[in-house]
Amino acid sequence: MKTLAAQVITPEDLLKHWQGHRALTRRIIEVFPEKDFFEFSIGGMRTFSKLVDELLAIAAPGLKGIVNKEAKPFAEESEKLIFKAQYLEKWDEATLEINQYWEKLTIEDFNETFNLFGQYEFPVIQNILYFVDNEVHHRGQGYVYLRALGVEPPFFWER
């Protein structure tokens, strides 16, 4: 018989928290100057478009893998996008996909171990927190880039 750990946050609140971060990252993409989105970097870091490629390759595909119990390899560059508008469209599609797959998770699923992308063997809750942490980390790089470009980024607390 399985026992569940005490719950601190509901799945609905966790999704709302994650989607709040995603909405903020989307606003960072929106304010980025088109050319700089693809070309600007500091200190050898990847451009923001490359960072967003990674985020798109992790969130929805990762959650889909968790729900379907399929540990598919990480595939960051499966589609070549050349306009910022395409990134925004893909971001919105991924947001809807996350919502759809989230509905299929049960409370028990969060404690199950899953081998994310065949590389990271952790409980599902830790994989999901990784999705959020990774996005926050890369969005922080976007903030630095925007500041360096003289562009006022959205307030980080407005999610």
Side-chain angles (χ1 to χ4, degrees):
M1 176 180 203
K2 274 191 174 176
T3 42
L4 297 176
Q7 185 172 320
V8 175
I9 185 172
T10 66
E12 296 78 20
D13 286 340
L14 180 55
L15 177 61
K16 182 179 178 182
H17 178 80
W18 184 13
Q19 291 295 21
H21 280 290
R22 290 184 55 76
L24 180 53
T25 302
R26 189 187 194 287
R27 292 202 338 266
I28 294 289
I29 297 168
E30 286 176 326
V31 300
F32 238 96
E34 182 85 21
K35 181 179 183 288
D36 295 320
F37 181 72
F38 294 97
E39 297 178 7
F40 187 79
S41 72
I42 296 173
M45 292 190 297
R46 293 175 285 171
T47 64
F48 200 59
S49 66
K50 290 293 183 193
L51 298 175
V52 174
D53 282 337
E54 178 185 312
L55 297 176
L56 287 169
I58 288 175
L63 188 58
K64 179 181 180 180
I66 288 168
V67 168
N68 292 333
K69 299 180 181 1
E70 296 175 336
K72 292 187 176 181
F74 180 69
E76 187 170 342
E77 296 197 22
S78 60
E79 187 174 3
K80 180 73 172 147
L81 306 177
I82 58 172
F83 298 107
K84 192 172 71 167
Q86 292 172 303
Y87 278 86
L88 292 168
E89 183 179 326
K90 290 292 179 189
W91 195 265
D92 293 343
E93 289 171 7
T95 297
L96 293 174
E97 192 173 349
I98 288 167
N99 289 339
Q100 291 167 352
Y101 281 104
W102 193 268
E103 291 177 13
K104 297 176 182 183
L105 286 174
T106 67
I107 194 73
E108 293 83 10
D109 290 335
F110 289 93
N111 289 320
E112 294 296 320
T113 299
F114 181 73
N115 190 345
L116 185 65
F117 303 117
Q119 300 175 15
Y120 311 104
E121 186 88 26
F122 293 108
V124 167
I125 185 63
Q126 289 183 22
N127 286 320
I128 292 168
L129 292 174
Y130 163 76
F131 300 160
V132 176
D133 291 346
N134 189 56
E135 182 174 331
V136 170
H137 164 71
H138 288 316
R139 187 174 64 237
Q141 290 173 273
Y143 273 89
V144 170
Y145 289 178
L146 290 174
R147 293 276 186 202
L149 291 165
V151 176
E152 182 74 24
F155 296 123
F156 75 90
W157 59 85
E158 290 182 351
R159 292 185 270 140

